[in-house]
Amino acid sequence: MLDISRLDHVLITIPLNTREEAKDFYTKELLLEEIPGNHPNGAIWIQMGDIELHIREEDAHQNNSARHPAFVVKDLEAVIAFLQSSNIEISYSSLIEGRKRCFFRDPWGNRFELIEFTQ
């Protein structure tokens, strides 16, 4: 069972070489707050209410886009076991301090991230 407690963030993608333009749009035009840090894959993290918007450059012709929503779960290992019992492939990405996380795709290629906060 996916014991989801809340939405944590949504990752959207922008064309390659538009990072600074995107950063200016979200922080200077929309006046949203950037979350400072050295985030995975050069992503920009923006605070939007009680969730985050993650923005990352991606080649428009790339298969299996990185776009995804991320959900917080209470017991990531139990969720992974549940997904694997249904033969759903699990993948992992870079480490982020204070979080355990994994990814999976639905049958249509949509990507989902599951997070358990450890701190």
Side-chain angles (χ1 to χ4, degrees):
M1 178 169 120
L2 295 181
D3 191 10
I4 295 170
S5 60
R6 68 177 180 87
L7 177 67
D8 179 70
H9 70 266
V10 174
L11 183 137
I12 61 170
T13 59
I14 54 175
L16 296 175
N17 303 310
T18 62
R19 185 182 189 284
E20 290 306 313
E21 182 181 347
K23 184 176 178 178
D24 286 348
F25 175 77
Y26 286 97
T27 62
K28 294 180 181 173
E29 296 292 322
L30 297 184
L31 302 176
L32 296 168
E33 181 182 339
E34 180 180 5
I35 301 166
N38 184 17
H39 305 299
N41 301 301
I44 303 164
W45 289 12
I46 302 290
Q47 192 67 50
M48 297 185 83
D50 63 351
I51 65 167
E52 298 173 2
L53 176 66
H54 296 181
I55 305 160
R56 188 171 114 182
E57 292 179 328
E58 181 176 274
D59 182 346
H61 303 292
Q62 176 179 326
N63 290 331
N64 295 323
S65 174
R67 293 180 196 100
H68 66 270
F71 298 96
V72 176
V73 298
K74 294 176 183 164
D75 183 348
L76 185 62
E77 294 305 317
V79 170
I80 290 170
F82 170 76
L83 293 170
Q84 289 176 329
S85 73
S86 295
N87 295 317
I88 295 172
E89 184 177 332
I90 304 298
S91 64
Y92 299 90
S93 186
S94 56
L95 299 176
I96 299 177
E97 187 176 332
R99 303 175 185 208
K100 294 191 296 185
R101 65 190 188 131
C102 71
F103 297 85
F104 73 95
R105 291 187 185 270
D106 69 13
W108 301 273
N110 295 299
R111 187 177 193 222
F112 295 89
E113 180 178 2
L114 302 173
I115 300 169
E116 179 183 342
F117 286 94
T118 58
Q119 295 179 353

